[in-house]
């Protein structure tokens, strides 16, 4: 009788299944709020409009800083002048909202009918006097989060090439320092500056809420690392300077196109670090940045231990349980690594798209975490076939399935605990300070079922599901 051995290295498979994720134009939902002086114009059909209306609620009627340019039969038949129509819309946007930048989001339809958005934008930009950034965030991408990747890659090309000379320009450009210095005296600011180590400029990329931006910037400041800017910034006019030789580091696993643009077009040096999700990931992210700049990190052991001790009440709920990730938002590798560190067993990691170069450090940390925790190495399935995945879920019977919204209710009806993966996209999950929020989301279905059992309602729920 032969005993099956646990794999000694991560096992990658590809099932070439369909991409069961949202359309990437949903990135507008968080980017228009992050870049406060922007306006997003999505150019597509009524279907795109219906999707945005459902994805973002009725706010589309409240005139926020995004809109739909709906293509009609006349446009698709090329009977109308694209330039004149877009000029009319952008003139109205300028008159009504006066943004610092207009971002055109191209959809599948503009790809199919070959609308030359990149050719039209420079001419219209010159006529209107407003920067127009073109991003092809269409359904041909693998995951909905890659819409942000496309937009940030386009914006990377608009970052200034030279550092400002005057003090006024410096103040306008380094938005994060301006935020951190708010309300401080000049002597305090000078004292803060003296705490930094002399190192090459560092720019971080990835759209995060302002509180999380401040948290991560302060974590690096504790180690003497100064963040020169973030892409994107709160305002388009405050985009960071990107000179050749600047260092860049990402905070999200789905930004491989942006990383490539920063390296190839802007000649920046990418710091390949794990992503700051969970105490373990945040520590590894800070350590890698410090190592590149020759800095010995201080106090990270105590910081990580303190965070783990503070969330023990959540961790004990999932320790020893199993989880299955179906694949939706490209956060799966980071989430799996964090959950293994919490003591869970990960059966399988489904992921719509796997860039092994950009996620190399995260994959290495996943493997190391499995070894340290004595957990079997999970199989990573790229472009998973959801039918096959569901069969494996029935066979493995995991305690929790993290899945896209399409499969949550059918799995729940069969008595399987689920959590929407999209919730991790919109929640604050980065850094040491947001670990409790991540675990609140992960443990919610388990806590809910425990409460149902205590009340004796679990049998009634199962009977109704069977009916």
């Amino acid at each position: 009788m032969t005993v099956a051995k646990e794999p000694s290295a991560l096992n990658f498979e590809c099932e070439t299944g369909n991409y069961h994720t949202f359309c990437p134009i949903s990135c507008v939902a968080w980017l228009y709020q992050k870049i406060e002086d922007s306006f997003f114009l999505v150019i597509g059909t009524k279907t795109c409009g219906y999707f945005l209306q459902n994805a973002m609620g009725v706010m589309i009627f409240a005139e926020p800083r995004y809109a739909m340019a709906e293509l009609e039969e006349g446009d698709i038949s090329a009977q109308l002048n694209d330039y004149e129509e877009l000029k009319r819309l952008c003139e109205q946007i300028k008159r009504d909202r006066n943004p610092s930048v207009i971002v055109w989001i191209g959809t599948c339809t503009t790809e199919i009918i070959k609308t030359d958005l990149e050719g039209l934008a420079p001419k219209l930009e010159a006529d209107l006097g407003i920067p127009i950034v073109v991003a092809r965030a269409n359904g041909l991408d693998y995951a909905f989060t890659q819409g942000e990747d496309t937009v940030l890659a386009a914006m990377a090309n608009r970052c200034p090439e030279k550092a400002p000379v005057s003090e006024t320009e410096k103040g306008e450009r380094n938005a994060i320092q301006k935020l951190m210095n708010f309300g401080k005296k000049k002597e305090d600011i000078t004292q803060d500056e003296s705490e930094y180590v002399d190192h090459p400029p560092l720019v971080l990329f990835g759209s995060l809420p302002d509180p999380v931006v401040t948290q991560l910037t302060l974590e690096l400041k504790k180690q003497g690392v100064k963040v020169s800017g973030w892409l994107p910034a709160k305002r388009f006019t405050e985009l960071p300077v990107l000179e050749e030789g600047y260092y860049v580091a990402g905070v999200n696993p789905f930004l491989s196109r942006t990383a490539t643009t920063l390296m190839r077009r802007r000649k920046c040096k990418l710091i390949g670090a794990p992503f700051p999700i969970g105490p373990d990931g945040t520590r590894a992210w800070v350590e890698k940045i410090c190592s590149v700049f020759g800095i010995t990190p201080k106090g990270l052991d105590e910081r990580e231990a303190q965070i783990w001790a503070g969330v023990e009440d959540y961790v004990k709920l999932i320790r020893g349980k199993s989880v299955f990730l179906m694949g939706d938002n490209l956060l799966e590798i980071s989430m799996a690594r964090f959950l293994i560190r919490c003591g869970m067993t990960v059966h399988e990691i489904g992921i719509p798209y796997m860039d092994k170069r950009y996620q190399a450090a995260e994959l290495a940390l996943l493997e190391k975490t499995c070894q340290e925790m004595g957990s079997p190495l999970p199989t990573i399935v790229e472009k998973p076939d959801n039918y096959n995945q569901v069969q494996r879920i029935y066979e493995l019977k995991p305690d929790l399935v993290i899945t896209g919204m399409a499969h949550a209710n059918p799995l729940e009806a069969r008595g399987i605990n689920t959590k929407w993966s999209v919730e991790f996209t919109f929640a604050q999950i980065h850094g040491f300070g947001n670990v409790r929020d991540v675990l609140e989301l992960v443990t919610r279905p388990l806590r809910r079922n425990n409460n149902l059992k205590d009340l004796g309602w679990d049998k009634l729920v199962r009977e109704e599901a069977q009916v």
Side-chain angles (χ1 to χ4, degrees), residues 365-404:
L365 184 58
L366 170 64
E367 199 166 346
K368 180 183 175 185
T369 302
C370 289
Q371 292 169 356
E372 291 177 355
M373 298 300 294
S375 176
L377 289 166
T379 298
I380 298 172
V381 182
E382 186 178 0
K383 291 183 281 189
D385 183 300
N386 286 157
Y387 176 82
N388 293 341
Q389 277 197 318
V390 169
Q391 303 312 309
R392 292 195 289 271
I393 288 170
Y394 288 160
E395 182 181 342
L396 293 167
K397 295 181 173 58
D399 296 298
L400 179 66
V401 175
I402 297 178
T403 177

Side-chain angles (χ1 to χ4, degrees), residues 326 394 401 403-420 448 465:
M326 290 192 72
Y394 288 160
V401 175
T403 177
M405 294 173 70
H407 303 94
N409 283 352
L411 289 172
E412 286 282 351
R414 288 156 179 80
I416 298 168
N417 296 320
T418 65
K419 192 63 191 166
W420 291 350
R448 178 197 63 208

Side-chain angles (χ1 to χ4, degrees), residues 168-215:
T168 305
E169 287 178 324
K170 287 179 182 177
E172 289 175 352
R173 279 290 164 200
N174 200 336
I176 184 62
Q177 288 300 320
K178 186 165 62 177
L179 179 65
M180 292 174 65
N181 293 338
F182 181 76
K184 289 185 178 179
K185 297 177 181 178
K186 285 187 178 180
E187 311 88 78
D188 296 333
I189 294 173
T190 305
Q191 176 63 31
D192 286 348
E193 289 294 320
S194 66
E195 296 174 9
Y196 292 116
V197 175
D198 184 21
H199 64 79
L202 170 68
V203 173
L204 303 178
F205 60 94
S207 176
L208 296 177
D210 289 342
V212 185
V213 166
T214 304
Q215 286 175 29

Side-chain angles (χ1 to χ4, degrees), residues 142-143 146 256 330 351-355 357 359 382-384:
Y142 299 97
Q146 289 179 288
S256 57
L330 298 188
I351 187 167
Y353 168 69
M354 184 76 247
D355 188 325
R357 293 175 301 173
Q359 293 213 48
E382 186 178 0
K383 291 183 281 189

Side-chain angles (χ1 to χ4, degrees), residues 227-416:
V227 178
S228 298
W230 280 78
L231 175 68
K234 283 186 69 174
R235 300 181 65 80
F236 182 77
T237 53
E238 297 171 348
L239 284 176
V241 175
L242 288 175
E243 290 189 34
E244 184 175 340
Y246 274 31
Y247 282 83
V248 293
V251 296
N252 274 320
F254 46 76
L255 300 175
S256 57
R257 187 184 286 117
T258 304
T260 302
T261 301
L262 290 168
M263 287 189 291
R264 292 182 181 173
R265 299 284 178 87
R266 304 310 303 266
K267 308 301 182 187
C268 295
K269 298 177 181 178
L270 178 68
I271 299 175
F275 302 100
I277 296 172
D280 50 335
T282 305
R283 173 184 173 169
W285 181 76
V286 173
E287 284 179 338
K288 184 57 187 276
I289 292 172
C290 288
S291 70
V292 169
F293 294 141
I295 299 169
T296 303
K298 307 181 294 289
L300 287 179
D301 288 340
E302 298 80 1
R303 184 85 167 105
E304 185 182 1
Q306 179 188 15
I307 297 298
W308 283 119
V311 295
E312 176 59 27
D313 53 334
Y314 280 108
V315 172
K316 67 183 181 183
L317 294 173
I318 56 175
R319 188 180 288 122
K321 296 189 182 298
S322 60
V323 61
F324 190 110
L325 294 96
M326 290 192 72
D328 185 51
N329 56 11
L330 298 188
L331 294 172
E332 286 81 17
I333 303 293
S334 301
M335 286 298 303
R337 179 258 304 152
F338 167 62
L339 293 174
I340 291 170
R341 181 63 70 180
C342 290
M344 296 191 82
T345 299
V346 175
H347 290 303
E348 178 176 309
I349 305 172
I351 187 167
Y353 168 69
M354 184 76 247
D355 188 325
K356 292 182 183 177
R357 293 175 301 173
Y358 181 57
Q359 293 213 48
E362 186 66 86
L363 290 168
L365 184 58
L366 170 64
E367 199 166 346
K368 180 183 175 185
T369 302
C370 289
Q371 292 169 356
E372 291 177 355
M373 298 300 294
S375 176
L377 289 166
T379 298
I380 298 172
V381 182
E382 186 178 0
K383 291 183 281 189
D385 183 300
N386 286 157
Y387 176 82
N388 293 341
Q389 277 197 318
V390 169
Q391 303 312 309
R392 292 195 289 271
I393 288 170
Y394 288 160
E395 182 181 342
L396 293 167
K397 295 181 173 58
D399 296 298
L400 179 66
V401 175
I402 297 178
T403 177
M405 294 173 70
H407 303 94
N409 283 352
L411 289 172
E412 286 282 351
R414 288 156 179 80
I416 298 168

